[in-house]
């Protein structure tokens, strides 16, 4: 499987980066094609096409020709219908899901099912032979076979149902509101569903729209798009109709499917639809990445192998023993069935499923929605989290972070719920600055949001202006009112040549007839136009010293990865600019130099306030958090530092070089804990170099990465035997999400592609929820251990009767049907109850489990359950068995070797130890009483087993006997079921239960207490002597 | 994870297995060092010795609580089972199939009966006392030899024509075979509530002429003085009373299904699950 994947993978990489090589790969693909592997080869070709995209280079006329359309009139409806029929609807093909019937059948043959099917089959064979021989009890085997088959089918249906239930939660997610697009067809504008769009259609887009397909822009006005879901860049990108870059991804005249238009309007020609779009290709890249087996699935498989191995080897061993002891082959087969049934914990897999879904439910309450049940535990064993920056670690919204005025840097509150700002606002300079910020801003709140918290209000305008508007609103309040009072007379909007924005206002002071000109823009451009600077409300000449101070501040803020804006103003002299002065923005008949510099504001997409805490929790839990983003290295590093992904005192190689003033090459790489890797560097790295980085640095940031590179990084981590979680929201993240051991998508900001690829969805987009998830995942791993230990124990008590029966030829102590009643009756609720057990110690303070060393079922667990507690249980149950027989007239020594006569249907006057004579049925009835006593004894001792399994290290009294109420529900249910079976259904002969004398319920009690005491002693030694021989051999 | 899924070659697997069996680097044999193996083995030996001790102790104290004469409970022995001699089973249960003229076909029945009755000859029974009372023979104390209770004599001659003494072939060659009905022993069981229980045999389907039967002892009763039974330890020489049934008019060359019931209060024969409780059913076919 691994090999196949690497093939696809390399094709993908080469498909975008190395066109020459694809031919060779393609041949390989064709070769595969012969084997019926069509899907993949199609994908290779698709990916190759990405290189052919040259529409951005074509002129309008060439485009019209290429797509046989008209820019003014659009396609004709007939032609559009034709193309639609050819290309299919403009929608992403949903990832191919496994057919339900296959899923169902998988449940039927997975796990222990095969073993049980074999058991059932053997039963029917035995039945067939016995019927042919005319044995009276032949039908027992038929029924047993049917029961076994039913067990498999029912547990299969149950597991299938559980799976389906969690999948259904997802189905609701994928339902999208049908999107509409404004398209020009037959020379008319009309609204059509976005799915109906075809290549060559002319569409109009305005601010707020989602781009309905890949579009080559023909006309654009102030158009900005948010490409963050595609590239991870949170800054809006402007779009125009000019061809600016060779790379179709970088050029400005193409807008991509599923990105959003933030402002402005544009008209463009659809050049790709549906799966052909860039997004569509990335999405199909994701579906090409194979689904990994989850760690818990591997663990359960491992466990199934162990149990099945034990079952088969004991079964075969005793089959041979039985045959060589001169048992009939048919009898030996029946023994074999008994051994298999006794050894296989029939109910366990269902229990595991229930436990996982309980945890999944608990996690859903804490905003982690789990798509794939097994992913519940994966999060717990996660050792590396590769987190996307934008939207996951950050709020995905520009916010003012720092201010510089009066020669001083002030920090602003960047938390999600800011209502006030605490920096010093008494200075006159701030008053001036706030005025510039308020007035020189085109962003506006959408009306009707007075009751909405400021930070949540919807704003029309770009991200920086929005940030400034909200910032001003928080501090000053009623920005719109201020603007109204300072009426705007003229305005020059921001453009890329000027790099500034300017507006002229009346002042709100009726006595002041001067006009106020306010300006903001790139700090260096603003500074160029200033001759003075405002310090403490006073205008002072902008000398060299002040300019340097500005430069330092600018560099410092820029170094924080923040986007810095400079602000300046000028009061226009009343005499030169009277009331009626006609401002003309084209000729700029007003001064734009010798202005007064007021201050700097810097903005950043700030980290979510919960993230630093969550990151440090991950740290203490031994989880490495790696940032992987498409954003700039500086911004990425700044955010990494502020959330603690790069801790305060660690340095990158570059930092050390700077500090020591030596070239980067001379720095010992191992001195640097942190590393910031650029996507460009990553591209040239070999696998070994990447591995080296991942091993040597504990704090890593990958910036400017492409979707493929995210995939490489995830693979690199997985090569270190790490269980990798990837968080992301964008389409660009989806291949990595799929590749990861657990992909975590954002529920609010996440794109559908990301959600589809993910195993888990954070409903509140909060990175901190992951920590909760990790905790739950670790807890469920521990608790599953307990559940399995609990379940395995009684298997020995179920198995020993068969072994003793074969070797010592005593009447059978417990029947196969009775065993099934333990496995699927009394034991079910208690083993689920263990899933509710609280953690024994702070599970978030230990390292994540090593997926190859810390097994779910390790040697100690199996040995302790099988060879110690299991043996005590067997002894207790056998005591009950011997007691029942002895008190009814059959002393232990009489029983030995009695089997053949005992089971002889024609021997109806066998003498017991007291000389009484028994018919066959009387003996059988006694045998069932023995079954019931054995069953009850196992049940009673399982109560003790349940209690001891609450903890693995702590004393039960430390853990609290009553804290987990569900355990008690389990105990009560266990005993109630036993009571019902014995007294309620004791008269139903087919079930082989009999009403038991009351005292037999207590025979095994001392052994139950022994189990508890022994286990307490075990735990005491483990706690007392950590690391000792005892600890190593007895702790599971 | 890719590494985990990579298929290992066979030789690699063998290599890994060899390493598991004996790892020269760490001196580990099957994942443990030798000394570690010794320790763990010692622990388990000790553990199992203790467990065996506990179990033996428990069984010992169980035996101490038991009464050597009577079992604590007789929950499953409410009504005695009934068996037939000769007990020869075929495909459909008890079958007495033979050819009257073919000695080989009935000899096994005769041998079985002789063998069975050998426990009832006078030498075998000489330790038992002669009882004449027609009442239950209660014995409160151990008056017999070696602290036992007396058992009543039942000798084969009480079966008269079916004793095998006068007619050593039990009437088989004549087509009038003797069969013996035995009731299972149950300690302290008092059948018939003061009236001696008796055997009554009927043909299940009276298609043929009604059965003509001769019971020995007379009336086919089990004398009350054989009850109650006090158990093997108290009555080591006790032998079950018997009733012999001689079939006088069995239709030749036809299968007859016969049910013999023991009739008496406290003896039930209607348990649907137990075909031998209070009754015994068998098939007969005598050929010429």
């Amino acid at each position: 499987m691994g090999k196949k994947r690497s093939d696809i993978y390399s094709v993908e990489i080469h498909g975008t980066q190395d066109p020459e090589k694809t031919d060779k790969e393609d041949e390989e693909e064709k070769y595969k094609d012969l084997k019926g592997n069509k899907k993949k080869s199609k994908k290779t070709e698709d990916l190759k096409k990405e290189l052919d995209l040259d529409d951005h280079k074509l002129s309008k006329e060439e485009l019209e020709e290429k797509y046989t359309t008209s820019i003014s009139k659009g396609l004709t409806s007939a032609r559009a219908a034709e193309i639609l029929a050819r290309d299919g609807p403009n929608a992403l093909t949903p990832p191919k899901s496994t057919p339900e019937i296959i899923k169902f059948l998988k449940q039927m043959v997975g796990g222990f099912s095969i073993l049980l099917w074999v058991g059932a089959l053997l039963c029917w064979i035995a039945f067939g032979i016995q019927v042919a021989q005319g044995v009276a009890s032949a039908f027992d085997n038929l029924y047993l076979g049917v029961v076994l088959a039913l067990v498999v089918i029912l547990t299969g249906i149950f597991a299938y149902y559980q799976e389906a239930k969690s999948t259904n939660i997802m189905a609701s997610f994928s339902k999208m509101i049908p999107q509409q697009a404004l398209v020009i067809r037959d020379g008319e504008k009309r609204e059509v569903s976005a799915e109906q769009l075809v290549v060559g259609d002319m569409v109009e887009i305005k601010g707020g729209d989602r781009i309905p397909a890949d579009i080559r822009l023909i006309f654009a006005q102030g158009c900005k798009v948010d490409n963050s879901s595609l590239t991870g860049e949170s800054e809006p990108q402007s779009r125009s109709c000019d061809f600016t870059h060779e790379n179709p991804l970088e050029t400005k005249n193409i807008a991509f499917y599923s990105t959003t238009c933030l402002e402005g309007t544009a008209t463009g020609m659809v050049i790709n639809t549906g799966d052909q779009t860039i997004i569509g290709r990335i999405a199909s890249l994701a579906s090409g990445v194979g689904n990994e087996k989850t760690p818990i699935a591997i663990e359960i498989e491992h466990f199934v192998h162990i149990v099945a191995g034990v079952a088969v080897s004991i079964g075969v061993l005793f089959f041979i023993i039985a045959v060589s002891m001169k048992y009939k082959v048919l009898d030996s087969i029946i023994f074999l069935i008994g051994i298999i049934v006794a050894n296989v914990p029939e109910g366990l897999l269902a229990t595991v499923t229930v436990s996982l879904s309980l945890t999944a439910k608990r996690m859903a309450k804490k905003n982690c929605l789990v798509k794939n049940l097994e992913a519940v535990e994966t999060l717990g064993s996660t050792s590396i989290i590769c987190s996307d920056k934008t939207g996951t670690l950050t709020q995905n919204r520009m916010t003012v972070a720092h201010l510089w005025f009066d020669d001083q840097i002030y920090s602003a509150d960047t938390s999600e719920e800011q209502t006030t700002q605490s920096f010093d606002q008494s200075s006159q300079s701030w008053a001036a600055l706030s005025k510039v910020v308020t007035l020189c801003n085109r962003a506006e709140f959408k009306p009707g949001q007075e009751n909405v918290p400021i930070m949540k209000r919807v704003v029309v305008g770009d991200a920086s202006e929005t940030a400034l508007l909200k910032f001003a609103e928080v501090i000053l309040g009623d920005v719109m009112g201020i603007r109204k009072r300072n009426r705007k007379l003229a305005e020059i909007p921001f453009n890329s040549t000027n790099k500034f924005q300017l507006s002229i206002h009346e002042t709100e002071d009726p006595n002041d007839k001067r006009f106020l000109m306010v300006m903001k823009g790139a700090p260096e451009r603003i500074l160029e136009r200033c001759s003075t600077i405002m310090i403490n409300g006073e205008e002072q000449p902008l000398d060299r010293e002040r300019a340097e101070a500005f430069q330092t501040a600018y560099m410092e803020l820029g170094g924080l990865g923040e986007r810095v804006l400079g602000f300046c103003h000028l009061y226009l002299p009343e005499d030169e600019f009277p009331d009626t002065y006609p401002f003309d923005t084209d000729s700029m008949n007003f001064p734009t130099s010798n202005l007064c510099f007021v201050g700097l504001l810097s903005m950043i997409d700030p980290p979510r306030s919960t993230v630093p805490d969550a990151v440090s929790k991950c740290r203490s839990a031994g989880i490495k958090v790696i940032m992987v983003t498409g954003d700039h290295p500086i911004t990425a590093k700044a955010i990494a530092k502020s959330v603690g992904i790069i801790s305060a005192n660690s340095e990158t190689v570059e930092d050390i070089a700077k500090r020591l003033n030596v070239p980067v090459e001379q720095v010992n790489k191992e001195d640097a804990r942190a590393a910031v890797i650029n996507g460009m560097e990553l591209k040239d790295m070999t696998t070994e170099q990447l591995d080296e980085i991942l091993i040597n640095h504990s704090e890593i940031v990958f910036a400017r990465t492409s979707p493929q590179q995210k995939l490489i990084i995830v693979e690199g981590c997985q090569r270190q035997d790490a269980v990798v979680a990837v968080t992301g929201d964008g389409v660009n993240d989806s291949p990595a999400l799929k590749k990861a051991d657990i992909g975590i998508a954002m529920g609010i900001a996440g794109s559908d592609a990301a959600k589809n690829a993910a195993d888990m969805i954070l409903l509140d987009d909060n990175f901190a929820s992951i920590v909760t998830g990790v905790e739950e995942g670790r807890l469920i791993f521990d608790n599953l251990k307990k559940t399995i230990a609990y379940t395995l124990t009684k298997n020995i008590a179920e198995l020993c009767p068969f072994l003793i029966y074969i070797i010592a030829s005593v009447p059978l102590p417990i029947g196969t049907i009775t065993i099934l009643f333990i496995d699927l009756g009394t034991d079910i609720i208690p083993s689920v109850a263990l899933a509710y057990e609280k953690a024994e110690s702070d599970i978030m303070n230990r390292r994540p489990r090593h997926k190859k060393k810390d097994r779910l079922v390790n040697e100690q667990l199996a040995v302790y359950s099988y060879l110690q507690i299991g043996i005590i249980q067997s002894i207790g149950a056998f005591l009950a068995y011997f007691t029942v027989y002895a008190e009814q007239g059959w002393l232990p020594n009489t029983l030995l070797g009695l089997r053949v006569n005992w089971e002889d249907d024609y021997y109806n006057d066998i003498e017991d130890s007291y000389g009484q004579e028994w018919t066959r049925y009387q003996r059988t009835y006694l045998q069932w009483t023995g079954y019931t006593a054995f069953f009850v004894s196992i049940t009673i001792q399982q109560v003790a087993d349940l209690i001891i399994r609450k903890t693995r290290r702590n004393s039960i009294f430390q853990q609290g006997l009553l804290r987990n109420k569900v355990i008690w529900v389990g105990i009560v249910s266990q005993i109630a079921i036993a009571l019902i079976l014995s007294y309620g259904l004791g008269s139903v002969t087919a079930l082989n239960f009999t009403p038991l004398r009351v005292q037999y319920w207590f025979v095994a009690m001392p052994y139950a207490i022994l189990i508890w005491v022994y286990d307490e002693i075990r735990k005491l030694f483990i706690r007392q002597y950590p690391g000792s021989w005892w600890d190593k051999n007895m702790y599971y | 994870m890719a590494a985990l899924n990579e298929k290992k070659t066979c030789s690699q697997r063998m290599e890994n297995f060899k390493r598991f069996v004996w790892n020269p680097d760490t001196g580990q044999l099957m994942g443990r060092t030798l000394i570690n193996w010794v320790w763990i083995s010692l622990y388990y030996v000790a553990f199992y010795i203790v467990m065996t001790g506990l179990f033996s102790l428990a069984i010992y104290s169980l035996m101490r609580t038991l009464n050597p004469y009577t079992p604590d409970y007789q929950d499953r022995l409410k009504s005695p089972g009934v068996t037939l001699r000769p007990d020869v089973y075929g495909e459909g249960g008890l079958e007495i199939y033979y050819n009257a003229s073919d000695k080989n076909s009935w000899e096994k029945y005769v041998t079985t009966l002789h063998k069975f009755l050998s426990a009832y000859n006078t030498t075998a029974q000489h330790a038992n006392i002669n009882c004449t009372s027609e009442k239950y023979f209660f014995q409160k104390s151990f008056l017999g030899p070696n602290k036992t209770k007396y058992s009543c004599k039942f000798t084969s001659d009480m079966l008269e024509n079916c004793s095998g003494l006068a007619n050593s072939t039990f009437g088989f060659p004549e087509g009038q075979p003797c069969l013996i009905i035995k009731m299972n022993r149950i300690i302290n069981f008092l059948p018939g509530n003061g009236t001696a229980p008796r055997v009554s045999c009927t043909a299940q389907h009276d298609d043929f002429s009604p059965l003509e039967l001769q019971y020995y002892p007379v009336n086919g009763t089990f004398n009350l003085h054989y009850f109650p039974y006090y158990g093997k330890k108290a009555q080591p020489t006790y032998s079950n009373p018997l009733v012999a049934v001689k079939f006088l008019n069995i239709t030749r060359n036809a299968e007859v299904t016969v049910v013999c019931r023991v009739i008496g209060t406290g003896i039930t024969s209607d348990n649907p699950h137990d075909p031998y409780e209070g009754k015994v059913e068998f098939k007969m076919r005598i050929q010429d």
Side-chain angles (χ1 to χ4, degrees), chain B residues 4-286:
Chain B
L4 210 110
N5 289 335
E6 267 165 22
K7 283 259 182 278
K8 287 178 195 150
T9 63
C10 193
S11 64
Q12 268 174 321
R13 276 169 189 276
M14 281 308 292
E15 190 55 40
N16 281 347
F17 183 70
K18 261 189 218 161
R19 260 193 104 67
F20 169 71
V21 173
W22 173 245
N23 185 341
D25 301 336
T26 53
Q28 282 175 330
L29 181 78
M30 316 271 271
R32 280 175 191 281
T33 55
L34 203 62
I35 188 74
N36 209 328
W37 271 115
V38 172
W39 282 118
I40 198 90
S41 315
L42 280 179
Y43 183 80
Y44 274 98
V45 167
F47 180 80
Y48 289 134
I49 286 175
V50 171
M51 284 304 139
T52 317
L54 280 175
F55 184 64
S56 316
L57 192 72
I59 292 290
Y60 173 75
S61 28
L62 167 69
M63 301 302 277
R64 288 293 299 271
T65 63
L66 296 176
N67 180 334
Y69 292 99
T70 53
D72 293 8
Y73 307 109
Q74 292 166 299
D75 295 340
R76 306 292 162 246
L77 297 177
K78 297 297 178 209
S79 173
V82 174
T83 53
L84 179 79
R85 294 292 187 280
D87 47 350
V88 176
Y89 288 85
E91 255 179 40
L94 279 168
E95 283 169 357
I96 312 289
Y97 289 174
Y98 71 93
N99 190 333
S101 50
D102 180 4
K103 188 179 178 200
N104 285 332
S105 69
W106 49 259
E107 199 169 25
K108 59 180 175 197
Y109 299 111
V110 175
T111 324
T112 315
L113 282 178
H114 273 301
K115 211 184 250 167
F116 176 68
L117 285 178
S118 63
Y120 290 90
N121 63 28
T122 32
T123 25
Q125 291 287 322
H126 90 272
N128 293 346
I129 57 164
N130 280 313
C131 306
T132 47
S133 156
E134 295 287 313
K135 285 182 189 146
Y136 294 125
F137 182 34
F138 292 110
Q139 303 171 69
K140 289 244 152 50
S141 46
F142 297 88
L143 300 171
N146 302 326
K147 285 200 172 174
T148 56
K149 291 179 182 177
Y150 294 113
S151 307
C152 290
K153 224 172 243 194
F154 189 96
T155 47
S156 45
D157 57 297
M158 295 180 190
L159 300 177
E160 299 165 38
N161 282 342
C162 288
S163 65
L165 301 171
N167 179 356
S168 65
T169 54
F170 298 96
F172 276 83
E174 296 85 49
Q176 294 184 331
C178 281
L179 303 178
I180 293 173
I181 306 292
K182 175 173 91 63
M183 187 165 73
N184 283 355
R185 293 191 291 260
I186 297 176
I187 290 175
N188 292 334
F189 179 67
L190 299 173
N193 195 19
T195 326
R198 66 181 177 82
V199 172
S200 157
C201 296
T202 46
Q204 198 154 52
H205 311 287
D206 260 346
D207 303 338
F208 316 102
S209 51
L211 288 176
E212 234 177 81
L213 303 164
Q214 183 67 52
Y215 296 102
Y216 307 99
V218 196
N219 299 334
T221 54
F222 296 106
N223 200 308
L224 285 183
H225 61 236
Y226 295 104
F227 305 99
Y229 174 52
Y230 284 111
K232 199 153 85 176
K233 193 172 169 73
Q235 294 178 306
T237 54
Y238 180 88
S239 26
N240 303 26
L242 306 172
V243 168
V245 187
K246 196 169 177 69
F247 292 81
L248 301 173
N249 68 336
I250 289 295
T251 318
R252 300 293 171 103
N253 303 325
E255 189 176 276
V256 188
T257 306
V258 181
V259 183
C260 291
R261 285 169 215 278
V262 179
I263 297 167
T265 338
I267 301 167
T268 52
S269 55
D270 55 355
N271 186 339
H273 301 295
D274 191 351
Y276 295 96
E277 187 178 303
K279 63 173 194 285
V280 62
E281 187 182 316
F282 54 92
K283 290 182 184 129
M284 276 171 90
R285 179 208 281 275
I286 304 171

Side-chain angles (χ1 to χ4, degrees), chain A residues 335 338-339 342 798-806 812 814 816 819:
Chain A
F335 300 159
I339 288 171
E798 291 167 355
L799 178 67
C800 282
F802 280 93
L803 308 190
I804 301 290
Y805 169 69
I806 294 171
L812 187 61
I814 191 167
T816 324
I819 288 174

